[in-house]
Amino acid sequence: MFKIVITAESLLTRKTNHLYAAYKVISDQQLIKRFLSNVSSMEKFDLPKRLQGSAPSVWNEYIALAMQYKPLNLGQGFPDDAAPEYVTNALADMAKDENPLLHQYTRGFGHLRLVQSISKLYSNLLHRELNPLTDILITSGAYEALYSSIMGHVDVDDEVIIIEPFFDCYEPMVKMAGGRPRFIPLKPTKTDGIISSADWVLDEEELRKLFNKKTKMIILNTPHNPIGKVFKRNELEILANLCKQWNVLCLSDEVYEWMVYDGNEHIRICTLPGMWERTITIGSAGKTFSVTGWKIGWAYGPSNLIRNLQMIHQNSVYTCPTPLQEAVARSFELELNRLNSPECYFHSLPVELREKRDFMARFLKESGMKPTIPEGGYFMLADWTNLEKKIDMNSESDKYRDYRFTKWMTKNMGLQGIPPSAFYSESHKKLGEDFVRYCFIKKQENLEKAAQLLKKWKN
């Protein structure tokens, strides 16, 4: 009897164990199913293939760094002084205007008063009549003008030539359109003495080899960010002849068009023979009037090319803020009346910036860096490698040395610059590692603070 009881208990125990094991299997299977379901969901809602590999931009990282450490910020490209009074007054006057429609939607492809003023300006500069309704598109900053140009013209597997270093949105925009970026770097021809942005050049043979039947577009930036190079006529003619030979579109980013120094001339590539019909030119009110936060830009070119941009614009942004467009139009109208006068902001701004540029070049050189003197724009590249022995490069873990340098300077020196390797393709990032980018469209007092910080650190 005792044995039977034991056997019964044993059977009961065994059965219980089997039931538990069976439950555990079922439970594990449910967990696995749930896990696989989550993985499937994650994959389904991941970035589309065309955006795979995308990462936060250098701006997101360095703005967060600036907010945390509060350095003197010479990294980002915006003025820290007041914009021209007539420009801000135009916006204030517009806000009080009796016309209530100025606070409502305006024409999708550009506020009429603004496209008319832009047409007058560039018709005069290009010696070609621009139709304000068909040859000009107003966009949400030059950024959107670039986006609409690339998305509107680049198809899957089209090749786009990008000159390095480049404004960091060029490459991801081309990839978003399904295109294939092809890169060619500007390289310095000298590394000692006084180095000019003119000393950074393209290898003509390397450039020629990039063009082929798949090439759809080349992106040109002159005056150049971050080098400050103003492309000379002979350099533009080489680009233009290749575009004509291979039937390639030129996207010309000319947002720094008024900021040119030392007698250099900004030549608009669309004015070269045979280039109007294959060029889209980008401009910016933010750069032109020192109001980067207004985010009003434009693209101009032949109507058949601009039409493609309109299709992207109307199905994404649709229309830009009416009050800002109206204020920019009023500002242009004032400048059009004094375009040939030294009082014109387009002429007075580069005079002011040239002094700031020269001041920055001096204090960077005195600190031990080797600056490249820009012919245009408001950025300056400087070779910082002579300072490496004064820095604990191992305190930062970034892959590229310019990131480690700029982060160390931000945290320990209180001076922020931008790492130029961010403006190169992955295979060419090492070309930017020895440099830092600083911006000199800043208050003189802040430039002097930067000079004092570097002087104190050096001593």
Side-chain angles (χ1 to χ4, degrees):
M1 184 70 178
F2 179 74
K3 287 182 180 180
I4 295 174
V5 171
I6 293 297
T7 302
E9 286 179 352
S10 176
L11 287 171
L12 184 61
T13 302
R14 208 172 296 148
K15 187 175 181 180
T16 302
N17 287 338
H18 285 316
L19 286 172
Y20 174 75
Y23 168 78
K24 192 171 188 313
V25 168
I26 294 169
S27 178
D28 287 347
Q29 287 176 343
Q30 288 175 339
L31 285 172
I32 290 168
K33 284 181 180 179
R34 215 173 300 143
F35 173 75
L36 292 174
S37 175
N38 287 338
V39 168
S40 175
S41 179
M42 287 165 61
E43 288 178 351
K44 186 173 184 178
F45 301 124
D46 198 0
L47 285 170
K49 288 182 180 178
R50 68 182 184 279
L51 299 180
Q52 293 290 328
S54 298
S57 73
V58 65
W59 312 114
N60 289 327
E61 184 176 7
Y62 274 67
I63 288 171
L65 203 63
M67 291 175 66
Q68 181 179 355
Y69 289 93
K70 298 178 174 52
L72 180 59
N73 189 350
L74 297 187
Q76 286 179 270
F78 61 83
D80 61 3
D81 210 348
E85 190 174 7
Y86 72 92
V87 177
T88 52
N89 283 345
L91 185 59
D93 293 343
M94 202 293 314
K96 297 177 286 186
D97 197 285
E98 294 179 356
N99 183 358
L101 295 182
L102 290 175
H103 295 281
Q104 308 306 325
Y105 296 129
T106 188
R107 176 175 171 269
F109 298 146
H111 187 54
L112 189 58
R113 189 169 180 177
L114 179 54
V115 292
Q116 287 174 335
S117 63
I118 289 176
S119 171
K120 287 179 183 177
L121 173 66
Y122 288 108
S123 293
N124 177 50
L125 294 172
L126 305 179
H127 306 294
R128 173 188 295 274
E129 197 65 34
L130 295 189
N131 185 322
L133 300 182
T134 60
D135 298 345
I136 298 165
L137 173 68
I138 303 302
T139 58
S140 183
Y143 213 93
E144 193 239 315
L146 289 164
Y147 179 81
S148 293
S149 298
I150 292 168
M151 296 300 292
H153 281 279
V154 176
D155 210 338
V156 175
D157 290 333
D158 282 343
E159 293 186 4
V160 177
I161 298 171
I162 299 176
I163 298 170
E164 297 175 302
F166 54 84
F167 187 38
D168 64 322
C169 71
Y170 294 170
E171 181 183 6
M173 285 182 181
V174 169
K175 288 181 176 179
M176 276 190 266
R180 296 176 56 200
R182 303 289 303 279
F183 302 98
I184 180 169
L186 288 159
K187 295 179 181 177
T189 55
K190 58 187 294 190
T191 55
D192 291 309
I194 298 175
I195 303 169
S196 165
S197 57
D199 295 319
W200 291 66
V201 297
L202 295 173
D203 183 305
E204 186 176 342
E205 188 57 32
E206 187 180 353
L207 179 65
R208 290 184 185 281
K209 288 179 179 178
L210 283 181
F211 280 81
N212 62 76
K213 63 182 181 180
K214 292 183 178 180
T215 308
K216 182 65 165 288
M217 175 187 288
I218 183 169
I219 304 178
L220 170 69
N221 179 207
T222 181
H224 186 271
N225 169 18
I227 293 172
K229 180 181 178 67
V230 176
F231 280 75
K232 304 299 186 288
R233 184 176 294 275
N234 66 307
E235 294 174 307
L236 295 176
E237 286 173 346
I238 291 169
L239 291 173
N241 289 335
L242 286 167
C243 286
K244 288 183 286 186
Q245 177 185 343
W246 292 98
N247 193 28
V248 168
L249 180 66
C250 180
L251 179 57
S252 190
D253 181 351
E254 302 182 12
V255 297
Y256 303 101
E257 60 188 316
W258 300 107
M259 302 164 210
V260 179
Y261 319 115
D262 306 328
N264 286 287
E265 178 188 6
H266 171 57
I267 299 170
R268 296 167 175 84
I269 195 170
C270 69
T271 63
L272 298 186
M275 285 305 290
W276 168 254
E277 55 265 37
R278 63 179 68 259
T279 303
I280 298 168
T281 306
I282 307 295
S284 163
K287 303 298 190 297
T288 299
F289 294 109
S290 297
V291 284
T292 60
W294 286 21
K295 293 297 290 179
I296 297 294
W298 54 84
Y300 65 80
S303 58
N304 65 303
L305 296 183
I306 295 299
R307 179 185 176 277
N308 293 33
L309 281 65
Q310 292 174 338
M311 294 302 100
I312 301 299
H313 177 82
Q314 76 175 14
N315 293 302
S316 54
V317 176
Y318 173 61
T319 187
C320 298
T322 308
L324 294 173
Q325 291 190 73
E326 174 74 13
V328 172
R330 294 181 185 187
S331 300
F332 264 127
E333 289 167 3
L334 186 149
E335 294 297 0
L336 282 167
N337 290 327
R338 59 182 189 184
L339 195 57
N340 298 317
S341 164
E343 295 179 352
C344 176
Y345 187 64
F346 306 161
H347 306 312
S348 64
L349 178 59
V351 172
E352 177 187 345
L353 287 178
R354 185 183 184 277
E355 293 182 7
K356 293 177 183 289
R357 178 201 69 172
D358 292 347
F359 180 75
M360 174 175 277
R362 281 197 302 273
F363 75 70
L364 291 179
K365 187 175 181 181
E366 289 168 0
S367 76
M369 299 192 212
K370 291 187 288 187
T372 291
I373 312 301
E375 304 158 285
Y378 50 56
F379 298 108
M380 186 175 297
L381 280 188
D383 183 329
W384 57 268
T385 53
N386 285 339
L387 305 179
E388 186 165 359
K389 57 184 176 293
K390 296 171 65 68
I391 293 172
D392 179 10
M393 295 288 283
N394 294 324
S395 65
E396 300 295 334
S397 59
D398 293 81
K399 180 178 180 181
Y400 296 105
R401 294 163 59 250
D402 55 336
Y403 272 81
R404 298 203 297 272
F405 171 78
T406 49
K407 287 183 178 180
W408 189 95
M409 293 288 281
T410 297
K411 297 173 183 179
N412 298 278
M413 271 285 300
L415 180 63
Q416 187 174 59
I418 293 294
S421 65
F423 308 138
Y424 286 85
S425 61
E426 190 62 40
S427 60
H428 289 162
K429 284 189 181 296
K430 286 190 176 298
L431 296 175
E433 281 191 292
D434 291 347
F435 299 93
V436 56
R437 190 196 80 168
Y438 292 117
C439 174
F440 55 85
I441 190 168
K442 303 294 182 181
K443 293 178 183 177
Q444 184 60 28
E445 64 188 80
N446 284 333
L447 295 177
E448 289 172 1
K449 286 179 183 176
Q452 288 301 314
L453 281 171
L454 287 169
K455 184 177 181 181
K456 182 179 178 182
W457 180 57
K458 182 183 178 182
N459 296 334

